[in-house]
Short mmCIF file of all heavy atoms in Angstrom, two decimals:
data_model
loop_
_atom_site.label_atom_id
_atom_site.label_comp_id
_atom_site.label_asym_id
_atom_site.label_seq_id
_atom_site.Cartn_x
_atom_site.Cartn_y
_atom_site.Cartn_z
N GLN B 20 17.56 7.86 10.46
CA GLN B 20 16.97 9.10 11.12
C GLN B 20 16.65 10.16 10.08
O GLN B 20 15.61 10.75 10.06
CB GLN B 20 17.90 9.67 12.18
CG GLN B 20 17.97 8.92 13.46
CD GLN B 20 18.93 7.75 13.44
OE1 GLN B 20 19.34 7.31 12.37
NE2 GLN B 20 19.29 7.24 14.61
N ARG B 21 17.67 10.40 9.20
CA ARG B 21 17.49 11.45 8.19
C ARG B 21 16.36 11.07 7.22
O ARG B 21 15.63 11.94 6.77
CB ARG B 21 18.80 11.65 7.44
CG ARG B 21 19.85 12.29 8.36
CD ARG B 21 21.16 12.46 7.62
NE ARG B 21 22.05 13.15 8.52
CZ ARG B 21 23.34 13.45 8.17
NH1 ARG B 21 23.79 13.07 6.99
NH2 ARG B 21 24.08 14.15 9.01
N LEU B 22 16.28 9.73 6.88
CA LEU B 22 15.26 9.28 5.99
C LEU B 22 13.89 9.61 6.61
O LEU B 22 13.01 10.13 5.91
CB LEU B 22 15.40 7.79 5.74
CG LEU B 22 14.37 7.14 4.84
CD1 LEU B 22 14.58 7.53 3.42
CD2 LEU B 22 14.38 5.66 5.01
N LYS B 23 13.73 9.29 7.85
CA LYS B 23 12.43 9.50 8.50
C LYS B 23 12.10 10.98 8.59
O LYS B 23 10.93 11.39 8.42
CB LYS B 23 12.47 8.90 9.93
CG LYS B 23 12.34 7.39 9.88
CD LYS B 23 10.96 6.99 9.50
CE LYS B 23 10.87 5.44 9.29
NZ LYS B 23 9.58 5.05 8.65
N ILE B 24 13.07 11.81 8.84
CA ILE B 24 12.81 13.22 8.99
C ILE B 24 12.43 13.79 7.62
O ILE B 24 11.42 14.53 7.50
CB ILE B 24 14.08 13.98 9.49
CG1 ILE B 24 14.29 13.65 10.95
CG2 ILE B 24 13.92 15.49 9.34
CD1 ILE B 24 15.63 14.16 11.54
N LEU B 25 13.09 13.38 6.56
CA LEU B 25 12.75 13.79 5.22
C LEU B 25 11.30 13.30 4.83
O LEU B 25 10.52 14.05 4.26
CB LEU B 25 13.78 13.29 4.21
CG LEU B 25 14.87 14.33 3.87
CD1 LEU B 25 16.00 13.66 3.12
CD2 LEU B 25 14.32 15.51 3.16
N GLU B 26 11.09 12.07 5.14
CA GLU B 26 9.83 11.47 4.89
C GLU B 26 8.70 12.29 5.52
O GLU B 26 7.66 12.60 4.92
CB GLU B 26 9.81 10.04 5.40
CG GLU B 26 9.14 9.03 4.54
CD GLU B 26 9.32 7.64 5.18
OE1 GLU B 26 8.47 7.21 6.06
OE2 GLU B 26 10.27 6.96 4.83
N TYR B 27 8.96 12.63 6.81
CA TYR B 27 7.93 13.39 7.52
C TYR B 27 7.70 14.78 6.89
O TYR B 27 6.58 15.19 6.67
CB TYR B 27 8.38 13.60 8.98
CG TYR B 27 7.38 14.36 9.81
CD1 TYR B 27 6.24 13.69 10.28
CD2 TYR B 27 7.52 15.70 10.09
CE1 TYR B 27 5.33 14.40 11.03
CE2 TYR B 27 6.61 16.39 10.79
CZ TYR B 27 5.52 15.75 11.28
OH TYR B 27 4.55 16.43 12.02
N LEU B 28 8.81 15.40 6.49
CA LEU B 28 8.65 16.78 5.87
C LEU B 28 7.97 16.65 4.49
O LEU B 28 7.21 17.51 4.15
CB LEU B 28 10.02 17.38 5.65
CG LEU B 28 10.69 17.92 6.96
CD1 LEU B 28 12.12 18.22 6.71
CD2 LEU B 28 9.95 19.12 7.52
N ALA B 29 8.25 15.56 3.79
CA ALA B 29 7.70 15.47 2.43
C ALA B 29 6.22 15.09 2.50
O ALA B 29 5.45 15.59 1.68
CB ALA B 29 8.45 14.44 1.64
N HIS B 30 5.84 14.23 3.47
CA HIS B 30 4.47 13.72 3.51
C HIS B 30 3.53 14.57 4.32
O HIS B 30 2.35 14.52 4.19
CB HIS B 30 4.45 12.27 3.99
CG HIS B 30 5.07 11.31 3.02
ND1 HIS B 30 5.52 10.08 3.41
CD2 HIS B 30 5.35 11.44 1.71
CE1 HIS B 30 6.06 9.47 2.32
NE2 HIS B 30 5.86 10.27 1.26
N ASN B 31 4.09 15.42 5.26
CA ASN B 31 3.28 16.26 6.06
C ASN B 31 3.72 17.68 5.86
O ASN B 31 4.49 18.25 6.66
CB ASN B 31 3.44 15.91 7.55
CG ASN B 31 3.14 14.46 7.81
OD1 ASN B 31 2.00 14.05 7.91
ND2 ASN B 31 4.18 13.66 7.92
N GLN B 32 3.25 18.31 4.81
CA GLN B 32 3.68 19.66 4.48
C GLN B 32 2.91 20.67 5.32
O GLN B 32 2.27 21.51 4.85
CB GLN B 32 3.63 19.96 3.01
CG GLN B 32 4.55 19.03 2.24
CD GLN B 32 4.67 19.39 0.75
OE1 GLN B 32 4.27 20.47 0.35
NE2 GLN B 32 5.20 18.49 -0.01
N CYS B 33 3.15 20.50 6.67
CA CYS B 33 2.38 21.30 7.63
C CYS B 33 3.26 22.32 8.33
O CYS B 33 2.92 22.88 9.37
CB CYS B 33 1.67 20.40 8.66
SG CYS B 33 2.89 19.39 9.57
N HIS B 34 4.42 22.59 7.76
CA HIS B 34 5.39 23.55 8.31
C HIS B 34 5.66 23.28 9.77
O HIS B 34 5.42 24.14 10.66
CB HIS B 34 4.84 24.96 8.11
CG HIS B 34 4.15 25.16 6.84
ND1 HIS B 34 2.84 24.90 6.62
CD2 HIS B 34 4.63 25.56 5.60
CE1 HIS B 34 2.51 25.19 5.36
NE2 HIS B 34 3.59 25.59 4.72
N PRO B 35 6.15 22.12 10.12
CA PRO B 35 6.29 21.73 11.53
C PRO B 35 7.42 22.41 12.21
O PRO B 35 8.35 22.92 11.58
CB PRO B 35 6.60 20.22 11.43
CG PRO B 35 7.22 20.00 10.09
CD PRO B 35 6.64 21.04 9.17
N THR B 36 7.35 22.49 13.57
CA THR B 36 8.40 22.97 14.38
C THR B 36 9.36 21.78 14.64
O THR B 36 8.98 20.64 14.37
CB THR B 36 7.83 23.50 15.79
OG1 THR B 36 7.22 22.40 16.39
CG2 THR B 36 6.89 24.61 15.53
N VAL B 37 10.50 22.06 15.22
CA VAL B 37 11.44 21.00 15.57
C VAL B 37 10.80 20.01 16.54
O VAL B 37 10.90 18.81 16.37
CB VAL B 37 12.69 21.60 16.28
CG1 VAL B 37 13.48 20.48 16.94
CG2 VAL B 37 13.55 22.36 15.27
#
Side-chain angles (χ1 to χ4, degrees):
Chain B
Q20 285 85 342
R21 291 179 175 178
L22 178 73
K23 283 292 172 189
I24 290 172
L25 267 169
E26 221 175 85
Y27 182 78
L28 286 169
H30 292 160
N31 304 281
Q32 296 189 15
C33 58
H34 320 89
T36 61
V37 167

